[in-house]
Every structure is written in structure tokens, then in C-alpha cells.
Amino acid sequence: MALYFFNGDSAEGRKAAKKLYDVGPVVERPMEDLPFAQANSFQNEFQAHGGRRYIKGVKNRSKISAEAIRAVLQAQDELIKSNPTLNRSGVILECTPKRAVAAVPLEATAYSGRGTAAEMSVFLFYADNAVDGLVQNTVRQWARIAAETAPASSVSDGLCYGNLDPDAATSDASTVFGPNYKRLREVKRKYDPDNIFNKWHPIQPASLA
């Protein structure tokens, strides 16, 4: 399923999305002018309360290859064959223009994973908490498969979009801040040496020399 957003009128948007239309959609909702609040609600149905979810972002890559996506989908198919109840899995690929973002130097802000062409995440929705460990390990493996299949090629490649990395949220913040992490540790030592603020990508204060 492709959700396409174009900031302009629908006729121009359809022209800009020609490559998507050339694929030949099986089912199409005609492109129309929508308030952003309405367009932003399209995925609400999938985020309803209830059930269990594990979503993990793939380490940034300048280009996500078709081979990477196929490799993950094949792994997901193998899981469904061995565990038929774990059949609500998928891949999310978000592609947005990065020209304005890339114009800001990576060292100018804390997060240094900007400027990549696409953000990719893998997910599994399920119901039984007894398989929490299996699900988490499996989704992490899918993320590794995708990253290894699409080699790194830029400074910000190899980092993760923090909001989609549950592991970095509680432990390894260097996967979010990359080359900026050392400088952030110095700032942390100056303003929060006792690490009072230690949640959500916790930065460890630098050690005194």
C-alpha cells in the first residue's frame, strides 16, 4: 500500500506520482485535496488501542534497495509459516524530500542521522504476551537483515531514527546521536553530571579526565 502526499493540487500531484501510477494500482483511492489533519489520520485504524506491537527502525541508509525489502518480506513469510498466529507483520518505508534538512550541518543539532533518502521500519502486531521475547528478537533480526542488505554510504548511515528504536530509547543512545554523542556527553557532564534526566535515549555524562 502506498500513501502519497503532495503539497499542491491533485492534478499536479498525480503528475508528480507518475511512477507510482505506472506500476498499476490494483485498488486506488482517487487523489483529492484534503486538509492535512485528515490526511494525517489515515493510519489511525492501525494504531487503535489493544493488542501488542513491536516496531523497530532500520539503521539509516542513503538508499533502501528492493533486495533489502524482499529479504525482510521473505523472513516474515517464513515466520508466518512456522507461527500462523504471528501474521500481522510488515515493512514501512517513508520517503520524504531531504534537501532543506540536509542543508543544515549534521553537527549543528544533536541528532546526526539526517539527510538520508528514506526511513524504514519493520513491525509485528500480536496478542499473546507469552511470545514477547520471540517477537522482539525476530523483529530485531528483520532490522539487521534490511540494514545488512543495503550497505552504508554516507556519514549519517548506520544511525537510527530515535522514535522508532526501542532499544536505543533505554540503552545505547550513540546509535541515535552518532558522531555528536561525544560532544553531548561533555554537555551532559556540565549540566547533569548526576544523570537525573536518564530516560528516552539516555546520554551518559563524560568521565572527568
Side-chain angles (χ1 to χ4, degrees), residues 33-177:
D33 296 333
L34 293 171
F36 180 75
Q38 184 177 349
N40 201 39
S41 68
F42 284 162
Q43 298 187 59
N44 287 357
E45 177 183 351
F46 304 104
Q47 306 300 329
H49 291 290
R52 306 178 75 80
R53 300 171 175 81
Y54 195 77
I55 304 173
K56 184 167 177 62
V58 175
K59 290 182 178 180
N60 290 345
R61 290 294 182 263
S62 297
K63 183 177 180 180
I64 300 293
S65 66
E67 289 75 16
I69 297 174
R70 290 192 191 100
V72 175
L73 292 177
Q74 180 178 351
Q76 292 179 342
D77 185 57
E78 291 171 356
L79 174 70
I80 294 172
K81 289 177 181 177
S82 60
N83 295 274
T85 60
L86 299 178
N87 60 357
R88 298 183 64 195
S89 60
V91 174
I92 299 173
L93 188 63
E94 182 177 351
C95 304
T96 54
K98 297 294 194 301
R99 288 185 294 273
V101 174
V104 179
L106 292 178
E107 66 274 11
T109 65
Y111 177 55
S112 60
R114 297 171 291 109
T116 53
E119 285 80 40
M120 180 178 177
S121 57
V122 288
F123 67 88
L124 182 55
F125 295 175
Y126 61 107
D128 186 0
N129 62 0
V131 296
D132 280 352
L134 169 65
V135 168
Q136 292 172 14
N137 290 334
T138 300
V139 174
R140 288 169 184 159
Q141 177 63 21
W142 293 344
R144 285 193 293 270
I145 290 172
E148 291 168 358
T149 311
S153 60
S154 76
V155 174
S156 61
D157 281 1
L159 304 175
C160 263
Y161 175 49
N163 285 355
L164 292 176
D165 189 4
D167 300 314
T170 57
S171 57
D172 190 2
S174 66
T175 62
V176 175
F177 302 112

Side-chain angles (χ1 to χ4, degrees), residues 12-31:
E12 289 299 316
R14 189 178 181 94
K15 290 180 182 178
K18 182 179 183 301
K19 289 184 178 181
L20 286 177
Y21 283 103
D22 286 347
V23 172
V26 178
V27 178
E28 176 191 352
R29 174 175 176 173
M31 192 172 290

Side-chain angles (χ1 to χ4, degrees), residues 185-186 188-191 193-194 204-209:
R185 290 191 67 199
E186 296 292 341
K188 182 80 169 182
R189 181 178 68 183
K190 181 177 181 179
Y191 294 102
D194 297 324
Q204 297 300 316
S207 302
L208 291 173

